[in-house]
Amino acid sequence: LGIGLLGDVTAGVVALVVYCFRHRAPLFVTLAVIGLSTVSTFAAGTAVLALVSLATRRRGVEIAVGSAAMLVTGLVGEQLVFPGGDVPLWQATLVSVVFLALVVVVGVAIGQRRALVQSLRERAALLEREQAVREDRAREQERAHIAREMHDVLGHRLSLVALHAGALEFRGRSL
């Protein structure tokens, strides 16, 4: 019993370590952790997490392979732990399928939520860029308006200076 428990704990720890690499090779890691869960009850929780993580990617083939592996290894593991148990195979299969469907639905929902949040972040960034462009355009239009006003005012003043200078010149000759 002591060696069995030590092996179970060791397989559970190995499953946790392997689980940390799920982003590099999600399907391979999920299958490896599921394989470890066949012989280790401590690895079963990690296998469920790995399947949820795999389902967040929302790729049907990967989900089907992972779910099938989990179903088969779960049924094989049950026969290893409870050989000749009282539960008929069809009932164990039905419970496993319902559980796996629930796990996959949770994973897919998490994946959809992540995709929604990502799209909302992208949209917010796009709106911020558009707002910055509108602000820049408004600033440029205001500068152009001020420049036109200054040009008009300066032109008017120069016209007045020229008019006064002409008047002074004319008046200066008559005196």
Side-chain angles (χ1 to χ4, degrees):
L1 184 66
I3 295 173
L5 180 62
L6 181 63
D8 196 4
V9 171
T10 303
V13 170
V14 169
L16 282 173
V17 170
V18 169
Y19 177 73
C20 294
F21 297 99
R22 72 188 180 281
H23 296 294
R24 294 180 186 246
L27 183 60
F28 176 74
V29 167
T30 300
L31 293 176
V33 171
I34 288 171
L36 286 170
S37 73
T38 305
V39 295
S40 169
T41 55
F42 284 102
T46 308
V48 171
L49 287 177
L51 187 60
V52 168
S53 179
L54 186 70
T56 60
R57 295 165 46 94
R58 297 177 297 147
R59 295 188 176 139
V61 173
E62 289 181 352
I63 292 172
V65 169
S67 297
M70 187 87 154
L71 179 64
V72 169
T73 58
L75 293 175
V76 168
E78 184 177 327
Q79 291 302 316
L80 290 175
V81 173
F82 304 109
D86 295 340
V87 179
L89 181 62
W90 71 269
Q91 285 180 344
T93 304
L94 181 64
V95 168
S96 295
V97 167
V98 169
F99 175 74
L100 289 174
L102 184 64
V103 167
V104 168
V105 165
V106 167
V108 169
I110 291 170
Q112 287 176 336
R113 173 79 175 167
R114 286 179 184 167
L116 175 64
V117 168
Q118 180 63 30
S119 70
L120 290 175
R121 284 184 180 147
E122 290 171 359
R123 181 164 181 200
L126 177 66
L127 290 174
E128 286 176 6
R129 286 192 299 272
E130 288 176 357
Q131 179 66 25
V133 167
R134 281 194 299 270
E135 288 172 0
D136 288 344
R137 190 176 308 130
R139 204 173 293 117
E140 289 173 10
Q141 288 174 348
E142 185 62 26
R143 284 181 185 146
H145 178 72
I146 291 171
R148 283 191 303 274
E149 288 283 328
M150 289 180 65
H151 181 267
D152 292 346
V153 168
L154 185 60
H156 180 71
R157 294 280 177 154
L158 287 175
S159 296
L160 287 176
V161 167
L163 180 68
H164 288 300
L168 286 175
E169 182 181 331
F170 179 73
R171 186 168 183 200
R173 285 189 216 150
S174 62
L175 288 177

